[in-house]
Amino acid sequence: MSRYFTYIIKPEESGITIKDYLKKKSFSHALIANLKKYEDGIMVNGVRKYTDHHLVSDDELNVCIREKPTVSRIMATELKLSVLYEDEDLMVVDKQAGIPIHPSRLNNTETLANAVANYLTDKGIDPVFHCINRLEIRTIRRDYLAICEGIFRNKQGSVCAPITRNGTSMIRYVDHENGEYAETDYQVKGEGNGLSLVRLTLKTGKTHQIRVHMKHIGHPLIGDRLYNPDNRIMERQALHAQKLTFTHPVTGMNISITSDIPADMESVIRKYGII
């Protein structure tokens, strides 16, 4: 699969190297390195150039991205797939709780990748499959809803607490000396019977960040088997990705996508009178 992009260099961009220009366009280091493999990977005014070349005003920069199809190597399985947004560059799906993303040795058919493979095969498309589920990209805003234990004294705030890993365990914890910077904003949206419905916005994207931060401030998520092993109210962690807002990496358009709260969390909200 090949995609071609053309950029006209503006006067204020004159003097920048191709590498730095493409970084500003959100090209990753790996992708930029891959462009150098092909004769027409990077062209300036019809001539092949390398990433250290300095661009000048009115230059025409052409970039060709080539990737080999991978979906054909993933078994297509007819599973429920809720597509919230789709264009020729990307797809946003509402993944059900408990469904793995990638095939593994123990499960190579019942995953999100298998469902996407089936969906694309039915449409006659065989593109590269890259699943992006946790990003440290500031142009992406991620808003979540969670049901937490307890009533918050402060109804909104920010948790800035560095997170690290507990050896080889899956469990993360706050470590002010050795942890990596992590920040989560929160706002209480409802309360009832010792539970709180909280909207959370990630400022960073560390593994288990919301779960670790909420436990750190004394309000762990209900149903969280790792950080609050009590499933009397819910059988899974009460966390839902409600809204995704980002700048399209190709078109530059602002995209905002929302997802309805799942039925099991809605049921808890009604049962416990969280308003």
Side-chain angles (χ1 to χ4, degrees):
M1 183 178 70
S2 299
R3 287 297 309 276
Y4 295 89
F5 302 94
T6 298
Y7 305 101
I8 303 299
I9 307 305
K10 301 175 183 177
E12 60 269 24
E13 297 167 331
S14 185
I16 191 173
T17 64
I18 292 175
K19 181 178 180 179
D20 289 339
Y21 182 86
L22 293 179
K23 283 183 177 179
K24 290 179 178 294
K25 294 295 183 182
S26 298
F27 281 66
S28 68
H29 175 78
L31 186 54
I32 293 173
N34 193 55
L35 294 174
K36 295 185 282 188
K37 299 178 182 179
Y38 304 100
E39 289 290 333
D40 61 346
I42 301 173
M43 306 283 285
V44 177
N45 304 323
V47 179
R48 185 184 185 186
K49 297 293 182 182
Y50 291 96
T51 56
D52 59 352
H53 175 77
H54 290 264
L55 299 164
V56 297
S57 179
D58 295 326
D59 271 350
E60 181 179 287
L61 171 63
N62 293 284
V63 176
C64 178
I65 299 175
R66 286 186 175 86
E67 292 187 284
K68 296 179 180 180
T70 58
V71 168
S72 60
R73 299 199 295 270
I74 299 173
M75 184 179 299
T77 306
E78 188 173 351
L79 301 171
K80 181 180 179 182
L81 185 67
S82 177
V83 179
L84 303 181
Y85 177 86
E86 179 183 4
D87 62 27
E88 62 179 327
D89 297 299
L90 56 88
M91 175 190 296
V92 178
V93 301
D94 196 354
K95 187 182 80 67
Q96 293 181 339
I99 301 296
I101 294 173
H102 299 286
S104 64
R105 182 175 58 84
L106 299 178
N107 182 358
N108 67 347
T109 59
E110 305 289 319
T111 73
L112 177 64
N114 300 119
V116 171
N118 183 73
Y119 177 83
L120 296 173
T121 299
D122 285 347
K123 299 182 70 172
I125 301 173
D126 189 20
V128 177
F129 179 83
H130 291 303
C131 192
I132 304 170
N133 66 327
R134 184 178 295 107
L135 296 176
E136 285 277 15
I137 300 176
R138 297 192 181 277
T139 57
I140 296 181
R141 176 186 170 105
R142 294 147 294 171
D143 295 309
Y144 291 78
L145 286 177
I147 302 176
C148 301
E149 287 193 359
I151 303 300
F152 284 64
R153 180 176 181 180
N154 298 317
K155 305 308 179 186
Q156 64 180 25
S158 182
V159 182
C160 296
I163 295 174
T164 192
R165 187 171 184 169
N166 187 6
T168 59
S169 169
M170 293 176 60
I171 297 176
R172 269 72 174 174
Y173 62 97
V174 170
D175 184 338
H176 290 283
E177 292 186 0
N178 303 307
E180 295 183 347
Y181 176 79
E183 182 178 358
T184 307
D185 290 344
Y186 71 87
Q187 181 181 20
V188 176
K189 305 301 293 183
E191 300 171 338
N193 291 289
L195 299 177
S196 296
L197 177 66
V198 185
R199 175 177 291 163
L200 302 120
T201 301
L202 291 177
K203 294 300 184 69
T204 54
K206 305 304 179 187
T207 301
H208 299 176
Q209 179 174 316
I210 288 175
R211 300 159 69 183
V212 173
H213 275 177
M214 290 301 98
K215 179 181 180 179
H216 178 66
I217 64 173
H219 297 286
L221 276 60
I222 63 171
D224 190 337
R225 65 181 179 85
L226 283 181
Y227 301 100
N228 186 30
D230 184 347
N231 63 356
R232 288 176 298 175
I233 299 176
M234 276 190 68
E235 293 292 331
R236 67 169 181 93
Q237 62 195 36
L239 183 64
H240 173 63
Q242 182 198 34
K243 188 175 182 180
L244 183 68
T245 306
F246 62 95
T247 301
H248 195 291
V250 176
T251 67
M253 294 181 61
N254 293 324
I255 307 293
S256 184
I257 303 165
T258 58
S259 171
D260 294 335
I261 193 167
D264 55 354
M265 288 181 64
E266 184 64 38
S267 177
V268 171
I269 291 171
R270 291 197 305 268
K271 180 178 179 180
Y272 287 83
I274 302 174
I275 58 175

